[in-house]
Amino acid sequence: MAAVTSGSTTRTRATVLRNAPATRPYAQSRPLSVEEIELDAPGPGEVLVAIKAAGLCHSDLSVINGDRPRPLPMALGHEAAGIVEELGEGVRDLEVGDHVVMVFMPSCGHCVPCAEGRPALCEPGAAANGAGTLLGGAIRLRSHGQPMFHHVGVSAFAGHAVVSRASLVRIDKDIAFEHAALFGCAVLTGVGAVVNTSGLKAGQSVAIVGLGGVGLAALLGARAAGASIIVAADLMPEKLALARELGATHTVDPRDEAAMEHIRTTTRGGVDVAVELAGSVPALEFAYRITRRGGTTVTGGLANPASRVSIQQVSLVAEERTLKGSYIGSCIPSRDIPRYIEMFRRGILPVDRLMSGTGPLEAINEALDELEAGRVIRYVFVP
């Protein structure tokens, strides 16, 4: 649907959350509504983008179920690709018509983490995301004249979005939008957790715990990095079967009492690297326990802030273990998105295998139930 512009305001459809947490099933409670809203024109350093594809992620669900509280009302969506339609003052390195991937953590380029080459930890970016604004502090969304908050600077379940230039990475035009969208979250977070955060080396063993879109992207990253043994762990047989198709050498259900011993026996004491991407305490504890002495456990799943994990403290010392967090896969988006897209183009990262289907924004509440139940990996909306 084309946007309707009047003066400096653009009217477009967006998917709005007004109350959270919502009750399940979402097909009945319908926490999200597709509404016509107003978009202010892009300000300095901002860009108007026509959204062409947006993926549904557990991070969206965590706002709806209350695990990640955000200011409301909010226009949701954070994993997307689209076309540049209008440039704000000062944006000189993009052109109208460029294809872009949206990134849910804008980076200012000046704070200490950014100066250290760690844009995923950008301090102004994190503050803006928590406040529901764009990087510069502005709110460009309105409903009946009242401000509406941005979802991590993107708000991509919409026909159009105004975002900071720092939230965009330009891509080649030969990549289908529904595939390109996945690089903004699932691929960055999953592949990056393996390649960047864990530092997995060719020939090492790895376990991926939690096989959603991010977890399966991590599995693809482990295979591309040359892991000798790839253990995939999940509660759902269907996901374990898909993991085997995508390159897992071993699959386990963590509830199986023999799972840990099986992994330790197979890997001669535990995996070199375990990556937890389920966002749950039991999953992280399982990942830690199957990591070998001297190994590295990475967690990239966003659990409820009230969650607490219990580990044996002495093992960190006596076994020289490493436990690391990973946000957006410790990526530098402007560097890593083009790299990962090139790997996709060459067949090294077949991220198209992660797609469960496409559909209109109006199907989003039903899709939330499918995601909650684990029946979809990545459902992509085509506004």
Side-chain angles (χ1 to χ4, degrees):
M1 175 181 176
V4 178
T5 301
S6 176
S8 61
T9 300
T10 297
R11 300 187 66 83
T12 191
R13 294 188 312 151
T15 304
V16 179
L17 176 69
R18 295 188 177 276
N19 296 286
T23 58
R24 294 180 290 171
Y26 301 118
Q28 294 182 15
S29 63
R30 309 199 72 77
L32 296 177
S33 57
V34 179
E35 305 177 12
E36 186 177 83
I37 65 167
E38 301 92 42
L39 279 173
D40 292 341
E46 297 170 0
V47 180
L48 173 66
V49 178
I51 307 297
K52 296 302 179 181
L56 180 63
C57 173
H58 270 92
S59 293
D60 303 307
L61 183 59
S62 68
V63 178
I64 295 163
N65 66 20
D67 282 347
R68 302 287 291 176
R70 297 288 182 182
L72 300 177
M74 175 172 280
L76 287 193
H78 70 281
E79 179 187 81
I83 301 175
V84 171
E85 283 202 352
E86 185 179 346
L87 304 172
E89 179 184 348
V91 179
R92 298 183 177 87
D93 57 346
L94 289 176
E95 297 180 357
V96 172
D98 280 346
H99 291 198
V100 290
V101 168
M102 295 176 143
V103 178
F104 63 90
M105 173 55 80
S107 53
C108 70
H110 306 295
C111 67
V112 171
C114 285
E116 293 176 339
R118 306 178 73 185
L121 302 182
C122 176
E123 293 166 346
N129 282 0
T133 70
L134 300 185
L135 180 61
I139 292 177
R140 303 299 181 197
L141 300 170
R142 304 190 184 279
S143 176
H144 304 291
Q146 298 301 309
M148 178 176 295
F149 295 104
H150 297 261
H151 185 202
V152 290
V154 177
S155 293
F157 294 147
H160 290 74
V162 171
V163 302
S164 166
R165 168 64 185 90
S167 296
L168 300 174
V169 174
R170 181 168 48 194
I171 62 171
D172 293 336
K173 295 182 179 181
D174 63 327
I175 304 298
F177 288 112
E178 59 267 28
H179 298 153
L182 305 186
F183 288 85
C185 177
V187 179
L188 271 187
T189 304
V191 177
V194 170
V195 175
N196 295 328
T197 312
S198 81
L200 179 75
K201 297 178 177 62
Q204 287 187 317
S205 58
V206 62
I208 310 298
V209 182
L211 301 177
V214 176
L216 288 169
L219 190 155
L220 295 177
R223 182 180 178 183
S228 58
I229 294 175
I230 303 175
V231 179
D234 199 90
L235 308 180
M236 298 190 66
E238 298 85 356
K239 291 184 176 180
L240 295 176
L242 178 56
R244 288 191 289 271
E245 293 178 16
L246 295 178
T249 58
H250 301 76
T251 57
V252 297
D253 183 334
R255 296 171 298 188
D256 186 340
E257 293 181 359
M260 287 189 190
E261 188 57 35
H262 172 67
I263 293 171
R264 292 193 183 108
T265 299
T266 301
T267 58
R268 298 183 180 180
V271 294
D272 296 300
V273 171
V275 182
E276 179 275 317
L277 293 164
S280 78
V281 169
L284 177 54
E285 292 178 345
F286 178 82
Y288 188 80
R289 290 170 185 160
I290 61 173
T291 304
R292 69 167 177 84
R293 293 167 62 88
T296 298
T297 308
V298 171
T299 175
L302 290 173
N304 186 293
S307 298
R308 297 290 183 271
V309 66
S310 176
I311 61 173
Q312 187 184 42
Q313 183 177 351
V314 70
S315 65
L316 283 170
V317 178
E319 299 178 10
E320 290 196 354
R321 302 280 210 96
T322 300
L323 177 60
K324 302 178 71 173
S326 177
Y327 192 52
I328 321 181
S330 306
C331 282
I332 300 174
S334 61
R335 174 197 70 188
D336 292 333
I337 288 178
R339 286 181 178 179
Y340 297 160
I341 286 179
E342 181 58 28
M343 293 170 73
F344 166 64
R345 190 183 278 115
R346 294 171 57 193
I348 300 170
L349 285 177
V351 300
D352 54 315
R353 296 290 306 278
L354 306 183
M355 288 186 56
S356 302
T358 61
L361 291 174
E362 285 76 10
I364 193 165
N365 290 298
E366 290 75 11
L368 288 171
D369 288 324
E370 294 295 295
L371 180 65
E372 180 83 52
R375 290 190 290 266
V376 297
I377 304 301
R378 266 304 191 269
Y379 191 86
V380 177
F381 298 103
V382 182

